[in-house]
Amino acid sequence: MSTTVILAIVASLILSYLIGSLQPSYLLGKAIKHVDIRDYGSGNSGATNAIRVFGFKFGMVCLLIDAAKGALTILAVKLLIGPMLTSAGASVLLQLCCGLCVILGHNYPFYMHFRGGKGVAASIGILLMVDWRLVLIAGIPALLVLVLSRIMSVASLSFETLCFIGLAILCFRMDFYYGILLAAFCYPAMSFWRHRSNLVRLAHGEETRLWGKGSKNSGKVPRDQYEEAIEKMDEQAGVHLHHEK
């Protein structure tokens, strides 16, 4: 591998993190709503909390931007660096690694004291750009899960898990298969880690729904009040879990 290719790979990983760190929920919230989204709802700067705090339309715009930054990053890697690599497997592996850097930037943006989102919207754009067939394997089933459950965390974790299974099948005959498998596994692993408090509430039937009965989309609820309510729910269920700030 030439020095040029190595430098291009390193640059792509760094730029992927920087692109991922662009937080539409935080930046647009500051610019348009004049508030810090991290002071409301769950204290998370992801699209789900934007829906909860700013409303469905505003939150969906943030979700689409998050997905687009992931998709455009992978498209750029495919077009600019993919042809420099020795095989399709090497290209897929680099795309997945750059995607992981995007998610790390989204989850832990350096200019926000490393307090970001959960990376689901970004990973949707990333993984569907890596292989469009994941729309059929993971995207449509996850959308059905969301419609039926009305719980974003369940749909998000279903999508991430099905994408890992899909990539394990679709990339089976590629070079660097085990590297691809490891990189693909990091997506659901990071998502489950970021959703650990949601998993506790799901286990005790206390997870909030996006709409309808059981939803708590009440607008600008201060973060301390939201966290106090969640802690009371956990205490009633006999659970003691530190919630992320």
Side-chain angles (χ1 to χ4, degrees), residues 165-243:
I165 294 171
L167 286 169
I169 296 170
L170 296 172
C171 300
F172 182 69
R173 296 187 180 278
M174 288 186 176
D175 294 337
F176 304 101
Y177 175 70
Y178 292 107
I180 292 171
L181 206 61
L182 178 60
F185 175 76
C186 289
Y187 284 82
M190 287 199 302
S191 191
F192 272 87
W193 172 254
R194 295 291 286 176
H195 285 86
R196 59 193 185 280
S197 59
N198 303 80
L199 291 171
V200 172
R201 293 193 293 275
L202 281 168
H204 295 277
E206 301 286 359
E207 181 72 316
T208 58
R209 301 177 189 273
L210 283 180
W211 69 87
K213 185 178 179 180
S215 67
K216 292 182 174 58
N217 186 5
S218 55
K220 293 180 181 177
V221 180
R223 189 184 68 195
D224 56 352
Q225 294 181 20
Y226 179 90
E227 291 176 346
E228 182 181 354
I230 293 298
E231 286 171 2
K232 284 182 178 178
M233 286 162 40
D234 287 347
E235 287 174 4
Q236 291 171 1
V239 177
H240 301 282
L241 181 66
H242 174 72
H243 297 280

Side-chain angles (χ1 to χ4, degrees), residues 77-93:
V77 171
K78 273 187 173 182
L79 296 178
L80 299 177
I81 305 178
M84 302 180 187
L85 303 177
T86 57
S87 67
S91 179
V92 169
L93 179 56

Side-chain angles (χ1 to χ4, degrees), residues 132-151:
W132 67 269
R133 291 173 291 183
L134 293 175
V135 173
L136 303 176
I137 296 172
I140 294 175
L143 184 60
L144 290 175
V145 169
L146 178 61
V147 171
L148 294 173
S149 69
R150 294 176 286 127
I151 302 176

